Amino acid sequence: MGTRDDQTDWDPARTPDTSLAVYRTAQEALANARKHAPDSQVAVSLTYGAAMVLLRIANDSASGCVDAHALVATGGGYGLSGLKERAELLGGALRAGPSQGGWVVELRVPG
């Protein structure tokens, strides 16, 4: 979690592209968890600072471990491939895949 420090806090108003990337990634990851692992618990973590923003969304269900291409192919949302492209355009990265018996989506973008 971020701490209050006017010189190091992430200012969403100053970085609208980053803010939108974080919002869309959270939206898509939560929709995918609901769609592909509806009975799983989901943890959302947002860590931010002046230099970097990290969003991590993870579910604990093995049923959420599906191929990333299969998720993209189902349609209905922006898609993991589109989110990865958005992150890279901002100088960041998106990682999505199986993790500890569940599924994790992690976005790192400059703050």
Side-chain angles (χ1 to χ4, degrees):
M1 306 282 172
T3 58
R4 187 73 189 138
D5 178 343
D6 291 338
Q7 294 181 349
T8 60
D9 272 2
W10 170 47
D11 179 2
R14 189 176 50 85
T15 57
D17 292 338
T18 297
S19 299
L20 185 59
V22 170
Y23 175 79
R24 293 291 187 213
T25 300
Q27 184 178 40
E28 185 69 20
L30 291 170
N32 284 345
R34 180 174 175 233
K35 184 176 185 178
H36 297 284
D39 296 329
S40 69
Q41 292 186 12
V42 179
V44 178
S45 170
L46 178 64
T47 307
Y48 57 90
M52 191 262 315
V53 177
L54 169 63
L55 172 69
R56 186 176 194 278
I57 300 177
N59 71 288
D60 65 357
S61 173
S63 66
C65 294
V66 295
D67 181 59
H69 297 294
L71 288 174
V72 172
T74 61
Y78 193 77
L80 292 174
S81 63
L83 295 173
K84 182 178 180 185
E85 181 179 337
R86 181 188 297 249
E88 290 171 353
L89 287 171
L90 293 171
L94 180 108
R95 181 181 74 83
S99 176
Q100 300 176 350
W103 185 266
V104 67
V105 175
E106 192 172 276
L107 173 71
R108 291 177 185 270
V109 287

